[in-house]
Amino acid sequence: NYLGFFVYDKMGNHINTGTLRNPYFKWSNNDPPEWVRWNGFILPSTFPSSPSDPNKPQDVPSYLSKGVDWKFPSNAESVAIRFGSCYGDGDDQGISYFALPQVLATNLEL
């Protein structure tokens, strides 16, 4: 299963440089047969960057997030979440369910 996003600038152009070509919060196959809530953050562009990747934030506490976290590029205007069952259960025969997606703005201070 795959939970990711794409980012767009104010003209609607897809921002796909570096690791933003295929950004994801979660990807895996053989997921357990139970509902799991996944949280991921796209933090402001002013948030400190990871030393290894300018598109990823530094030091997001693991208890807050259950996936890979990101930073909003400074030229970004909008984001679209995307979900796929492309990994399924590893043999292209699995079924994946996705319910109640949310994108929320937050003033959470990390």
Side-chain angles (χ1 to χ4, degrees):
N1 302 315
Y2 181 98
L3 176 60
F5 64 95
F6 284 140
V7 214
Y8 301 92
D9 66 18
K10 67 180 179 180
M11 300 300 291
N13 298 310
H14 179 202
I15 300 171
N16 62 358
T17 56
T19 51
L20 288 175
R21 283 191 177 98
N22 187 25
Y24 53 82
F25 296 114
K26 181 248 189 233
W27 82 102
S28 64
N29 60 8
N30 297 318
D31 287 338
E34 60 192 35
W35 286 102
V36 177
R37 180 182 178 123
W38 285 91
N39 296 322
F41 292 99
I42 304 175
L43 297 164
S45 62
T46 55
F47 198 85
S49 295
S50 164
S52 62
D53 187 342
N55 295 317
K56 295 185 180 177
Q58 179 178 343
D59 299 330
V60 175
S62 60
Y63 69 89
L64 291 173
S65 180
K66 208 173 163 121
V68 177
D69 298 308
W70 297 86
K71 284 180 54 177
F72 216 52
S74 59
N75 62 334
E77 183 74 21
S78 64
V79 64
I81 61 171
R82 56 199 178 102
F83 174 79
S85 60
C86 52
Y87 297 102
D89 62 3
D91 63 5
D92 295 325
Q93 302 298 313
I95 297 173
S96 297
Y97 298 96
F98 185 60
L100 306 172
Q102 291 182 310
V103 177
L104 303 172
T106 181
N107 62 358
L108 177 67
E109 293 184 26
L110 299 175

